[in-house]
Amino acid sequence: MSEFVVHTIPGSPFARAVFATLEEKSAPYRIAPVAPGSHKSPEHLARHPFGRVPVLEHDGFVLYETAAILRYLNRVLPDPRFTPADARPVIIFHRVFAPRLAGLAADEAAIAEAMPKARAVFGELARLLGDQPYLTGDSLSLADLIVASHVTFFTMTPEWAELGAPLHNLAAWLARMEARSSMQATTWERVNEMAKAA
Ligand SMILES: N[C@@H](CCC(=O)N[C@@H](CS)C(=O)NCC(=O)O)C(=O)O
């Protein structure tokens, strides 16, 4: 099996879903770090026309858009096979990424505006999960990998106390997901270490 290369800024939740999927599939991979701020450089734009991360490179084949990457991985690495889903980060951008990566103060107005939608999303995630161990049933799926990679960032925000913590099934699911070796191997800190060593 030839190596998978993930071009990304360390800390991207989209890239984490790719890393965690590669981990779950025990596939050989490495990070090709993209420096924060250089994702609109000609070099990166040649890989991704919208200047985003992640980008996957495999056997000379270059692919962008996380959902497409995950579906590709699911096809070329069929064992175990997962099925797809989706998620969205708004509050975590203002609460986590803007302060950490750009040194910006959190945009409280944007956060307040996003809260009604976030309450609806968390409520729906808890409803979809119900009393199942994983989002689509008894076994891990791409839905768990992509949603957990985003939801985990909310635990770093004060909004978690209102959005996630009271939803006991969702909080327990997140704890189960975070305990998985794929998630442990792909924390922001671990991906930063991979980036430094690359
Ligand atoms: N639809 C893209 C979204 C990826 C995305 O928005 N990544 C963020 C980093 S977490 C990014 O590259 N932001 C920079 C920008 O939008 O200019 C995907 O699924 O891969």
Side-chain angles (χ1 to χ4, degrees), residues 8-9 11-15 18 39-40 44 48 50-55 64-69 86 89 93 97 146 150:
T8 189
I9 299 171
S12 162
F14 292 95
V18 174
H39 51 292
K40 305 293 184 200
H44 191 66
H48 194 312
F50 311 121
R52 288 184 169 165
V53 294
V55 173
Y64 62 88
E65 276 301 313
T66 305
I69 292 170
D86 208 79
F93 173 79
F97 296 117
I146 196 161
H150 287 78

Side-chain angles (χ1 to χ4, degrees), residues 156-188:
M156 304 175 195
T157 74
E159 285 72 26
W160 175 252
E162 178 190 338
L163 293 174
L167 302 169
H168 299 301
N169 64 337
L170 197 70
W173 161 83
L174 185 60
R176 270 198 306 284
M177 286 301 296
E178 283 176 340
R180 292 185 75 91
S181 59
S182 63
M183 297 296 280
Q184 296 280 320
T186 56
T187 58
W188 196 335

Side-chain angles (χ1 to χ4, degrees), residues 39-191:
H39 51 292
K40 305 293 184 200
S41 66
E43 189 190 355
H44 191 66
L45 284 170
R47 293 181 204 110
H48 194 312
F50 311 121
R52 288 184 169 165
V53 294
V55 173
L56 181 79
E57 200 180 325
H58 181 228
D59 277 340
F61 177 54
V62 177
L63 186 61
Y64 62 88
E65 276 301 313
T66 305
I69 292 170
L70 296 184
R71 281 198 298 273
Y72 174 78
L73 293 177
N74 223 26
R75 194 164 62 244
V76 298
L77 301 166
D79 185 24
R81 187 176 289 281
F82 305 131
T83 47
D86 208 79
R88 51 184 305 145
V90 176
I91 294 168
I92 57 173
F93 173 79
H94 291 289
R95 197 60 94 197
V96 181
F97 296 117
R100 282 203 190 189
L101 295 180
L104 298 172
D107 183 336
E108 299 294 340
I111 291 170
E113 195 183 327
M115 281 300 279
K117 199 174 274 181
R119 279 186 209 103
V121 170
F122 273 79
E124 182 61 5
L125 287 174
R127 188 191 70 78
L128 287 169
L129 178 63
D131 57 7
Q132 307 176 108
Y134 296 100
L135 283 169
T136 58
D138 287 334
S139 57
L140 183 76
S141 75
L142 293 183
D144 298 291
L145 291 166
I146 196 161
V147 175
S149 294
H150 287 78
V151 169
T152 193
F153 279 103
F154 281 87
T155 63
M156 304 175 195
T157 74
E159 285 72 26
W160 175 252
E162 178 190 338
L163 293 174
L167 302 169
H168 299 301
N169 64 337
L170 197 70
W173 161 83
L174 185 60
R176 270 198 306 284
M177 286 301 296
E178 283 176 340
R180 292 185 75 91
S181 59
S182 63
M183 297 296 280
Q184 296 280 320
T186 56
T187 58
W188 196 335
E189 292 72 25
R190 294 295 302 276
V191 175

